[in-house]
């Protein structure tokens, strides 16, 4: 196992199906994630208009597809694309298997930021389904054509091809910007010394973030939300197949001051709940990020971040099945008895 790679916490799902039904009945809503419940066939609950064109396509290296690519707009800002990829992997394979994962949905952000950090209104989102704008990605050819009907929305056209160096080249049109571009991972460029903060980091709390330095000396990044096979056990009341859901490329805010003080805000640009901020200190050798707590506080645990050597926080060779913890016997409470009548 490569030092710093996490292979997931040992999560346990002991709730019964009746608990899920009860919660749905009380709330009166059905989440988009309903298809993510154990035992549901992939895509079974997704309306046709929201179903990805590439549903269940095998994915070998999701980290290489997610995140940001950008280019200068020659006016002090940047244009680019932001890819968020959702996948699933089986939680039942023995021995546990990390790849291939199965494609669930691709969300595409097209942005034009004026400053070093994205702000509200500078990015528009689409998806690889009919209602999401019909984004297509065939043989490394990314296309989108959106003709805005509201004056407040920019029209968007993409015709980009991913080349051997990992960059996307072709036409990017968003609002008043329309040009042939080369979109690459954020980089400080050869004239700027590389900060040890740049790289992929995993935490003892099973979080993963990819941090990149930009040309203006700032930082940007995105996080992956992972459920690793072999480390989630399911109670007997939850029938299989058991599916584990992964989300790659959620934008984060990253700030560095005094070359050592680091602030990370995960899920910072999401319209939903909830962002999570951490104040950290970069070690002298650049290998760890240690949490900073107010004087006199007594943290329940130390969430230490460790830099890993590649773009993935999971070492697939090190994945193993942990011994499950016994689930308590299922109990029927009064609310459930009322529901069953």
């Amino acid at each position: 196992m490569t030092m710093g790679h996490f292979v997931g916490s040992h999560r346990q799902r002991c709730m019964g199906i009746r608990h899920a039904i009860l919660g749905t009945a009380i709330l009166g809503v059905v989440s988009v994630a309903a298809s993510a419940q154990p035992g549901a066939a992939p895509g079974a609950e997704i309306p046709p208009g929201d179903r990805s064109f590439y549903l269940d396509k095998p994915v070998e290296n999701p980290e290489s597809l997610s995140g940001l690519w950008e280019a200068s707009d020659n006016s002090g800002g940047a244009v680019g694309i932001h890819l968020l990829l959702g996948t699933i992997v089986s939680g039942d394979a023995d021995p546990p298997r990390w790849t291939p994962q199965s494609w669930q949905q691709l969300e595409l952000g097209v942005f034009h930021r004026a400053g070093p950090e994205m702000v509200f209104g500078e990015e528009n989102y689409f998806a690889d389904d009919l209602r999401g704008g019909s984004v297509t990605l065939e043989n490394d050819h990314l296309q989108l054509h959106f003709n805005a009907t509201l004056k407040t929305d920019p029209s968007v056209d993409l015709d980009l091809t991913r080349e051997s160096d990992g960059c996307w080249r072709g036409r990017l049109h968003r609002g008043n910007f329309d040009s042939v571009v080369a979109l690459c991972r954020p980089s400080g460029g050869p004239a700027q010394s590389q900060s040890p903060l740049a790289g992929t980091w995993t935490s003892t709390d099973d979080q993963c973030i990819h941090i990149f330095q930009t040309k203006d000396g700032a930082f940007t990044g995105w996080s992956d939300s992972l459920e690793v096979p072999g480390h989630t056990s399911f109670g007997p009341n939850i029938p299989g197949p058991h599916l584990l859901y992964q989300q790659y490329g959620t934008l984060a805010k990253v700030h560095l001051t005094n070359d050592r003080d680091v602030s990370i805000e995960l899920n910072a640009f999401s319209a939903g709940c909830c962002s999570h901020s951490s104040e950290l200190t970069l070690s002298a050798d650049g290998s760890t990020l240690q949490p900073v707590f107010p004087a006199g506080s007594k943290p329940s645990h130390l969430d230490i971040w460790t830099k890993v050597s590649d773009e993935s926080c999971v070492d697939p060779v090190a994945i193993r099945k942990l011994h499950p913890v016994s689930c308590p016997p299922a109990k029927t409470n009064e609310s459930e008895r009322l529901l069953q009548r």
Side-chain angles (χ1 to χ4, degrees):
M1 177 177 179
T2 305
M3 178 59 69
H5 280 42
F6 80 78
V7 290
S9 66
H10 185 199
R11 301 182 179 92
Q12 186 165 12
R13 298 179 179 176
C14 294
M15 60 286 196
I17 293 177
R18 291 175 299 175
H19 290 78
I21 295 174
L22 178 63
T24 302
I26 292 173
L27 292 175
V29 295
V30 178
S31 167
V32 174
S35 60
Q37 299 305 312
E45 303 295 332
I46 304 175
D50 296 326
R51 186 174 293 121
S52 168
F53 303 136
Y54 312 105
L55 188 68
D56 297 332
K57 171 186 173 181
V59 182
E60 293 287 348
N61 191 359
E63 293 92 348
S64 69
L65 183 58
S66 55
L68 291 178
W69 286 263
E70 63 182 29
S72 171
D73 67 353
N74 297 317
S75 298
V79 296
I81 57 174
H82 168 211
L83 298 179
L84 297 98
L85 179 63
T87 68
I88 60 172
V89 65
S90 173
D92 298 327
D94 194 7
R97 185 177 59 209
W98 182 239
T99 56
Q101 297 175 30
S102 296
W103 186 295
Q104 292 301 287
Q105 188 175 50
L106 179 70
E107 294 181 51
L108 165 67
V110 183
F111 65 87
H112 186 180
R113 59 175 174 83
E117 191 170 83
M118 205 93 69
V119 298
F120 182 79
E122 293 182 331
E123 184 172 28
N124 303 94
Y125 282 93
F126 307 89
D128 60 345
D129 55 57
L130 291 175
R131 288 210 308 159
S134 296
V135 174
T136 61
L137 179 56
E138 304 278 357
N139 299 318
D140 288 329
H141 188 194
L142 181 66
Q143 289 185 298
L144 166 67
H145 302 289
F146 172 71
N147 186 22
T149 57
L150 299 177
K151 293 182 179 180
T152 54
D153 294 335
S155 292
V156 177
D157 293 282
L158 291 181
D159 193 348
L160 302 168
T161 299
R162 192 176 187 188
E163 300 184 355
S164 58
D165 61 356
C167 297
W168 299 86
R169 290 177 172 83
R171 181 193 180 198
L172 188 153
H173 165 225
R174 180 187 183 274
N176 295 327
F177 182 92
D178 194 347
S179 182
V180 173
V181 295
L183 305 178
C184 302
R185 291 296 199 191
S187 170
Q192 191 175 81
S193 60
Q194 177 82 341
S195 168
L197 180 59
T200 298
W201 299 81
T202 179
S203 78
T204 49
D205 198 27
D206 292 358
Q207 300 178 90
C208 182
I209 189 170
H210 311 270
I211 298 176
F212 288 80
Q213 194 169 356
T214 61
K215 286 185 173 62
D216 45 26
F219 292 84
T220 188
W222 54 89
S223 63
D224 303 331
S225 178
L226 308 176
E227 290 186 311
V228 180
H231 295 263
T232 299
S233 58
F234 298 86
N237 291 336
I238 304 178
H242 302 121
L243 307 176
L244 304 177
Y245 286 75
Q246 325 300 331
Q247 177 74 31
Y248 298 90
T250 303
L251 282 186
K253 290 183 179 180
V254 181
H255 297 142
L256 173 67
T257 56
N258 304 322
D259 292 328
R260 292 200 59 191
D261 298 329
V262 181
S263 173
I264 295 177
E265 184 180 356
L266 301 179
N267 206 30
F269 295 91
S270 173
C273 182
C274 298
S275 66
H276 173 71
S277 299
S278 298
E279 301 299 324
L280 307 154
T281 299
L282 180 65
S283 64
D285 63 0
S287 65
T288 62
L289 291 167
Q290 300 277 350
V292 176
F293 297 97
S297 64
K298 295 181 179 179
S300 57
H301 70 285
L302 295 178
D303 190 11
I304 299 172
W305 295 74
T306 304
K307 182 180 281 190
V308 299
S309 58
D310 54 33
E311 63 183 352
S312 177
C313 282
V314 178
D315 184 350
V317 178
I319 293 176
R320 65 189 190 283
K321 194 169 186 177
L322 296 183
H323 183 69
V325 179
S326 298
C327 287
K331 294 182 179 180
T332 303
N333 59 33
E334 183 62 26
S335 298
E336 290 174 315
R337 283 195 290 271
L338 290 173
L339 186 65
Q340 293 169 1
R341 292 179 180 177

